[in-house]
Amino acid sequence: MKKKRRTAPSPRAAAAFAAFVTFATYVRTLSFDFTYDDHHHFVDNAFVHDLSNLSRFLPWRYFESAIPDQGRPVLVLSELLDVALGASAATCHLQSVVWHTLNVVLVFVLARNLRFSTLSATAVAVLFGLHPVNVEAVAGIANREDLLATCFGLLALLAARRGRVVAAAAAYALSLGSKESALAIPVLFAILAVCSERFRPDQRARRWLAVGAAIVTMAWAGFQLRLGYPSLVPGAGGTGLERAALSPMVSVVAGFRSAAPEPKPPTAPARRPYGEVTLPMAVPIEGYRAGQLLLGWPTAPEYDLGFFRGLAAFLTALGALAALVAAAVRDLRGSRRITLGVAWFLAATIPVSVPTLLLNPVADRYLYLPSIGAALLLGWFVSERLAGTWPLFALGLVWFGLANVNLAVWTNDVTLFSAATRSAPRSARAHQNLGSALLRDGQLDAAERALSRAVELDPELLAARFNLGILEEQRGNRTAAVARYRAATTIEPIVAEGPLWQRACARLAVLLRAQGRTTEVQALMDEARRRGLSCH
């Protein structure tokens, strides 16, 4: 008696399975609070909470005033959608989960277009959906920019494959409007063309695709120059190498900046929360990223870059990266799956993750788009080279566990920054963020310990000084609050800290007036004017 031959699942059923696994994993985020940058970019962002501001997206009105994420208008539009849906943490998280699930389906479609088998394409999609490094991009609402840029970037690649120039250009523009990581999209298409004949449209289509990509990129560059990048302004907090490399552009950018009033740049050197990031650190950081993607090991929410300054880390990472590149080059005469995975990772990390140009170069959210390369490589290798579903199931189970462990950290700010202080005990930022979270939660004694530790580690950390003033006011100790705020106002703020300095100044002025100390109030006002700031 002949055994019945198993029928392979249809591509639609396989894509639906990958989407279901992803959505089921992340649906727990609907019970999570707002965390980290969500407060500045969404909760306290008055612009997105007024739906009438949709009219401000007209080209002649968009530059009237500065708003958070102004250089990423597609992200801002998604936040307006959050408000239209109710503005709760649950609805915001739901939108992010939906975008991530959609990306999983698009990755499946991409793999099928690369002639991966249905099993391999499913493996690629599931591994991308469960990759632990992607938790930060999905669980942090303010990090939705990476989900959006990847979604529209994948749509651009799939449209370009069919030679649909207008659709590809439009999707690429939306991707760039979400995040600058989309600058990698044209390079990724070139990599796909090298690795698969199915991504090689005819010569005429290639020419028009190149023209379309060039026009969109130049339009995006003009838009960004019109806004002006804060990190290009002296004293904004960028790395020394960034300021040195981009200083010739600063005067050009300044001429295109918005007419909205800005704080006067301070004369003091910018402070960098992670210390000086130097060119040799690019190699160990890139090697560390490659290891994260292949092993599925997520970064803690805070970290110390000291490890990446050592010679051993540099040599180890250099050897590992050289081995990956050598394997990719050798595979050019083979299946080109290794070439695709390695080249995708390297190309996707360049635009936003050049380590020397970042303030926090090891953040997991920068690996969202590069993780597709790792998924393509591992999905193919495990499903075809290891020839079986059990190794794939085991890997998926491990990554599911790691993703859930990482998800638990993002439940709320206290859990997030408690984990941060454990992983980076000498990070003043981690202790300040934990103190701020505890302060919002009403845990004043614990908040004081965390904030005092932050000041001990970095006496110039303005946010910690300011929050200690808020803490003393909540305790009703106005004398101590005056001392805390005064200590904050003696700090020379970098550009990004201007609004926070003004808040400390305003609170100090209120307390001084209540005590009848008008002379000190006038001196405080004079100091604010000297700094080019206000104190109201």
Side-chain angles (χ1 to χ4, degrees):
M1 184 176 177
K2 290 185 178 180
K3 292 183 179 179
K4 285 188 177 181
R5 189 176 180 180
R6 289 185 181 178
T7 57
S10 69
R12 287 186 179 180
F17 170 76
F20 172 77
V21 170
T22 301
F23 190 88
T25 300
Y26 280 94
V27 72
R28 63 182 292 195
T29 62
L30 272 62
S31 65
F32 290 6
D33 292 338
F34 293 107
T35 54
Y36 212 173
D37 289 339
D38 297 349
H39 302 286
H40 171 68
H41 292 267
F42 181 77
V43 178
D44 301 327
N45 184 356
F47 180 89
V48 298
H49 287 277
D50 183 357
L51 293 178
S52 68
N53 282 325
L54 276 170
S55 64
R56 300 281 289 276
F57 281 81
L58 296 171
W60 55 89
R61 295 199 63 197
Y62 194 70
F63 304 99
E64 288 179 353
S65 59
I67 61 173
D69 295 313
Q70 196 167 7
R72 298 165 177 172
V74 177
L75 171 63
V76 179
L77 284 170
S78 82
E79 292 169 340
L80 285 164
L81 178 58
D82 284 326
V83 172
L85 295 173
S88 68
T91 56
C92 293
H93 281 298
L94 177 61
Q95 187 184 166
S96 291
V97 174
V98 169
W99 283 109
H100 182 48
T101 304
L102 177 58
N103 286 338
V104 167
V105 174
L106 290 174
V107 167
F108 176 87
V109 174
L110 176 67
R112 289 292 291 163
N113 275 272
L114 289 165
R115 289 184 172 166
F116 280 62
S117 67
T118 301
L119 175 62
S120 295
T122 306
V124 169
V126 169
L127 290 177
F128 169 71
L130 296 181
H131 204 305
V133 303
N134 289 336
V135 167
E136 182 173 314
V138 185
I141 297 165
N143 300 328
R144 189 185 297 149
E145 59 211 25
D146 292 281
L147 312 181
L148 295 167
T150 297
C151 180
F152 293 116
L154 289 170
L155 288 172
L157 293 173
L158 293 170
R161 180 212 162 227
R162 296 180 178 272
R164 296 175 179 173
V165 177
V166 175
Y172 177 44
L174 290 170
S175 186
L176 276 175
S178 303
K179 190 174 182 177
E180 54 276 12
S181 58
L183 288 169
I185 297 303
V187 180
L188 293 177
F189 185 74
I191 292 169
L192 289 169
V194 169
C195 296
S196 173
E197 71 280 357
R198 302 193 75 189
F199 280 82
R200 298 171 196 164
D202 60 51
Q203 186 175 0
R204 182 173 179 274
R206 288 200 302 270
R207 185 185 305 116
W208 282 109
L209 285 169
V211 170
I215 291 173
V216 170
T217 302
M218 288 189 292
W220 172 84
F223 169 71
Q224 296 297 338
L225 287 174
R226 174 66 179 83
L227 284 173
Y229 270 115
S231 62
L232 300 185
V233 179
T239 66
L241 185 60
E242 175 183 355
R243 295 194 303 277
L246 299 177
S247 58
M249 297 176 59
V250 171
S251 59
V252 176
V253 172
F256 286 90
R257 292 192 63 80
S258 170
E262 296 179 8
K264 180 182 177 182
T267 56
R271 295 187 300 278
R272 290 167 294 281
Y274 298 92
E276 188 67 49
V277 183
T278 59
L279 184 59
M281 292 172 64
V283 174
I285 289 176
E286 196 73 356
Y288 179 74
R289 286 196 184 106
Q292 275 188 282
L293 289 175
L294 293 175
L295 298 176
W297 195 260
T299 303
E302 193 66 53
Y303 42 85
D304 181 0
L305 293 181
F307 167 78
F308 300 103
R309 296 186 175 93
L311 179 61
F314 178 87
L315 294 177
T316 302
L318 184 63
L321 290 173
L324 284 175
V325 172
V329 172
R330 183 178 179 182
D331 189 50
L332 279 169
R333 295 182 179 180
S335 66
R336 298 187 181 178
R337 301 303 197 208
I338 298 174
T339 303
L340 174 61
V342 173
W344 184 295
F345 156 69
L346 293 174
T349 57
I350 289 172
V352 295
S353 305
V354 174
T356 53
L357 301 184
L358 291 176
L359 293 174
N360 51 343
V362 192
D364 277 354
R365 60 184 177 275
Y366 299 131
L367 292 177
Y368 189 79
L369 180 60
S371 70
I372 296 176
L376 287 166
L377 176 57
L378 290 171
W380 161 78
F381 180 79
V382 176
S383 63
E384 296 190 17
R385 285 297 179 91
L386 295 184
T389 56
W390 285 110
L392 179 61
F393 178 77
L395 179 60
L397 193 62
V398 170
W399 280 18
F400 173 78
L402 287 173
N404 274 282
V405 170
N406 202 19
L407 272 170
V409 171
W410 287 83
T411 303
N412 55 59
D413 275 335
V414 173
T415 59
L416 180 65
F417 295 117
S418 294
T421 56
R422 290 194 297 271
S423 61
R426 296 196 58 79
S427 169
R429 277 170 50 95
H431 289 281
Q432 138 59 28
N433 288 334
L434 175 58
S436 179
L438 291 166
L439 185 60
R440 286 195 300 270
D441 202 41
Q443 302 181 50
L444 300 188
D445 291 340
E448 183 178 24
R449 289 193 294 271
L451 293 170
S452 298
R453 179 57 176 159
V455 170
E456 179 184 342
L457 291 167
D458 183 3
E460 297 295 301
L461 190 56
L462 178 59
R465 299 276 190 184
F466 173 76
N467 280 323
L468 282 169
I470 294 291
L471 185 149
E472 295 298 350
E473 279 202 86
Q474 289 190 11
R475 283 176 169 169
N477 192 342
R478 293 192 171 189
T479 301
V482 166
R484 298 293 196 184
Y485 288 134
R486 192 178 295 281
T489 57
T490 60
I491 295 173
E492 189 76 28
I494 61 176
V495 170
E497 292 176 334
L500 185 59
W501 191 94
Q502 291 177 140
R503 289 175 63 193
C505 182
R507 290 307 309 156
L508 178 57
V510 167
L511 294 177
L512 290 175
R513 285 195 188 97
Q515 297 174 7
R517 298 157 69 174
T518 55
T519 303
E520 293 179 59
V521 173
Q522 186 57 50
L524 191 60
M525 298 294 180
D526 293 340
E527 175 64 16
R529 282 192 292 271
R530 184 190 70 78
R531 296 176 186 269
L533 302 170
S534 66
C535 193
H536 301 291

